[in-house]
Amino acid sequence: MPSEKLLTIDSSFVLTGLGVLVRSAAGQPAEALRRFALYTMLPVELELADGRRHPTTASVEEVAHPSPADGPLPPPEPALLLHLAEALDVPPGTVVWLSAEPTPPEWL
């Protein structure tokens, strides 16, 4: 059963050989991801608009933005890299839930 909402997908990008990078809307950063270290593997569940659910894993990533000409460099925004076993369309509005707490690395 999903436990914590991590983000609602606004955009996704297929990274051939790696997975699907998903982000929330620019004005709604996925703050729930900031508590995890970069590259932490998370058990997640995707909830599509039609109610279908797909369990998978994802790693915590960051997306950097170019520096504007007249201001400071914006901070990187948190994102997820979905590791899908099969091709799956992840349209905007899909919700990503944390399905279990990750195992701390020192326990492995």
Side-chain angles (χ1 to χ4, degrees), residues 5 7 11-12 38 46 50 54-55 68 77 80 82 84 89 92 94 97:
K5 181 180 174 180
L7 64 85
S11 59
S12 63
L38 278 179
L46 307 177
D50 65 5
H54 297 276
E77 73 178 80
L80 284 173
L82 302 176
L84 300 169
D89 182 33
T94 299
W97 296 91

Side-chain angles (χ1 to χ4, degrees), residues 22-90:
V22 297
R23 320 173 354 180
S24 59
Q28 303 169 349
E31 293 300 322
L33 295 176
R34 294 198 191 276
R35 72 181 176 101
F36 301 107
L38 278 179
Y39 316 121
T40 299
M41 292 297 294
L42 303 174
V44 299
E45 187 171 88
L46 307 177
E47 180 182 9
L48 282 68
D50 65 5
R52 288 181 297 150
R53 295 178 177 270
H54 297 276
T56 190
T57 58
S59 58
V60 178
E61 306 293 334
E62 285 184 334
V63 175
H65 297 281
S67 179
D70 61 345
L73 182 66
E77 73 178 80
L80 284 173
L81 182 61
L82 302 176
H83 305 276
L84 300 169
E86 59 189 53
L88 177 67
D89 182 33
V90 284

Side-chain angles (χ1 to χ4, degrees), residues 2-28:
S3 63
E4 179 184 355
K5 181 180 174 180
L6 296 176
L7 64 85
T8 299
I9 296 173
D10 180 65
S11 59
S12 63
F13 307 92
V14 174
L15 302 176
T16 304
L18 296 175
V20 179
L21 184 71
V22 297
R23 320 173 354 180
S24 59
Q28 303 169 349

